[in-house]
Amino acid sequence: MPRNLKEEVVFTAIMAGLMVLVMTGYNVAMAQGLSSGLVMEILKGYPLGLIVAIILDLLIVGPIAKGLAFKYIINDYMKRNTVLIGITISVLMVLGMVTLMSFFGITVEGKLAQGHILATYGHTWIFNLIVALPLQLIIVGPIARGVLGKMQSAAARKAEAEEIVEEEV
């Protein structure tokens, strides 16, 4: 878990950056097939999707997911195993982000103006969840947590070195 603002920003940037990139590619491929313009369509949709995802993650989904997890799900046993806390929060984050980003996606694509809004949203939501959950738990989450762990280790080593220098003075 991030311990300060810098760690939170880096962690969120990696997590959102990778998730939005893969999910944008997946959704473009689902909508248009594997065409020759696939890469350009992904790159065209990526910046706005990333900005929206980061805002939703930091301001809405993250606080709600963490609040629900610590209030209703995480128990004393889970508190002894930080991996379980990470998985719990990751699952809740994916559920929240898929819920909001699926709506964002069909809005941007103009599919809200068409009929069958609930069917379109339900189809989009379930197909996004099927990809996003394993992507988060198996690939993106471990990458982001690995980078965060290296940052925290480096910060701890730096603090320890500074403490030794202060003791010598």
Side-chain angles (χ1 to χ4, degrees):
M1 297 286 296
R3 298 180 192 151
N4 56 45
L5 181 61
K6 178 183 175 185
E7 290 178 0
E8 183 75 36
V9 168
V10 171
F11 186 74
T12 300
I14 293 168
M15 192 76 76
L18 291 174
M19 288 298 292
V20 171
L21 182 63
V22 174
M23 293 307 294
T24 299
Y26 169 72
N27 280 293
V28 169
M30 289 291 288
Q32 300 177 3
L34 298 174
S35 63
S36 61
L38 180 66
V39 173
M40 289 308 296
E41 285 299 315
I42 293 168
L43 294 175
K44 189 171 81 175
Y46 181 73
L48 179 60
L50 181 60
I51 290 167
V52 170
I54 288 172
I55 291 168
L56 291 173
D57 182 302
L58 292 174
L59 300 180
I60 299 172
V61 177
I64 291 172
K66 290 171 189 169
L68 289 173
F70 285 105
K71 186 171 183 179
Y72 296 110
I73 300 171
I74 296 171
N75 56 29
D76 290 336
Y77 170 76
M78 293 173 77
K79 288 179 182 173
R80 286 182 262 140
N81 189 347
T82 57
V83 171
L84 294 176
I85 294 172
I87 290 170
T88 301
I89 292 172
S90 291
V91 169
L92 292 173
M93 292 287 295
V94 167
L95 289 170
M97 291 301 288
V98 165
T99 299
L100 296 176
M101 290 301 288
S102 293
F103 182 77
F104 167 77
I106 62 174
T107 302
V108 168
E109 290 300 314
K111 294 186 178 176
L112 282 181
Q114 301 170 357
H116 312 293
I117 295 169
L118 287 177
T120 300
Y121 177 75
H123 176 270
T124 302
W125 187 87
I126 195 70
F127 274 75
N128 282 336
L129 183 65
I130 289 168
V131 173
L133 193 56
L135 175 67
Q136 166 60 29
L137 295 175
I138 298 169
I139 300 169
V140 175
I143 289 170
R145 283 188 290 279
V147 171
L148 178 64
K150 288 186 187 303
M151 281 180 66
Q152 290 173 337
S153 294
R157 284 193 304 275
K158 182 180 176 187
E160 187 177 296
E162 289 173 355
E163 188 176 298
I164 290 171
V165 169
E166 286 178 10
E167 288 176 2
E168 291 176 355
V169 174

